Amino acid sequence: MVDQTADAVVLIEANLDDQTGESLGYAMAELLAAGAYDVYFTPIQMKKNRPATKLSVLGQPQDREKLTKIILTATSTMGVRYQTWQRTIMRRRFTSVETPYGLVQIKIATYDDLEKRTPEYADCAHLAQRYHIPFMTVYQAALVAATDLKQEE
């Protein structure tokens, strides 16, 4: 049995040649708050050699209209383009591991016989700030604990 999940995502894009960096950050925050899976910017060149930014937004297909309205409201664009993509994603589940600094949630992703274990960023960042230690110290301790947990299973 293949341990996978298949679904679809919508990619919405717009080219922006007259948008400030601050307003791009605002648009990103609005889109993520509205449920976009991801928002990212790519530097591009437009006609007449104008530097510009391509805005790309990934979301659920049923959220296309909502996300489009935010893009049209929060940016200078007068139109967007979109396409729906099929994707395969790894199944995800969570567990917690004890580190010398406290509990860290571990994301366990599986696909067929593949498995990935990843410490949650927010937990590691919180503990690193709490104990005034480097982020990677907590992250690596969580990876060791996740590996030990796997060997016990």
Side-chain angles (χ1 to χ4, degrees):
M1 178 182 141
V2 175
D3 189 19
Q4 69 187 41
T5 301
D7 68 357
V9 293
V10 66
L11 171 64
I12 308 168
E13 293 183 322
N15 293 350
L16 308 166
D17 66 349
D18 55 354
Q19 189 91 25
T20 67
E22 295 88 354
S23 60
L24 289 173
Y26 178 82
M28 173 186 264
E30 290 289 303
L31 289 159
L32 290 169
Y37 291 143
D38 201 0
V39 178
Y40 55 96
F41 305 107
T42 306
I44 59 171
Q45 289 295 124
M46 293 180 60
K47 62 185 174 191
K48 300 179 185 174
N49 279 332
R50 290 191 312 245
T53 302
K54 178 170 67 172
L55 165 66
S56 300
V57 180
L58 291 173
Q60 296 180 35
Q62 62 266 28
D63 290 343
R64 182 176 56 85
E65 287 302 321
K66 173 176 66 171
L67 297 172
T68 295
K69 187 161 187 174
I70 293 169
I71 294 168
L72 294 173
T73 301
T75 73
S76 60
T77 194
M78 295 185 189
V80 301
R81 58 193 173 274
Y82 61 89
Q83 54 189 312
T84 302
W85 294 45
Q86 300 301 308
R87 69 178 183 165
T88 299
I89 58 174
M90 297 178 84
R91 287 196 188 280
R92 297 169 179 103
R93 65 183 173 88
F94 294 88
T95 191
S96 292
V97 296
E98 185 66 45
T99 74
Y101 314 103
L103 282 177
V104 174
Q105 194 172 49
I106 302 292
K107 182 187 304 177
I108 302 172
T110 58
Y111 178 88
D112 198 16
D113 61 345
L114 302 174
E115 182 177 279
K116 297 179 183 180
R117 292 174 180 242
T118 308
E120 282 297 299
Y121 168 82
D123 293 349
C124 294
H126 170 76
L127 292 170
Q129 290 169 348
R130 181 177 178 188
Y131 291 103
H132 306 287
I133 57 177
F135 169 84
M136 287 305 295
T137 300
V138 178
Y139 190 89
Q140 289 170 345
L143 278 177
V144 168
T147 301
D148 292 345
L149 178 67
K150 182 178 182 178
Q151 292 171 355
E152 293 171 9
E153 292 176 344

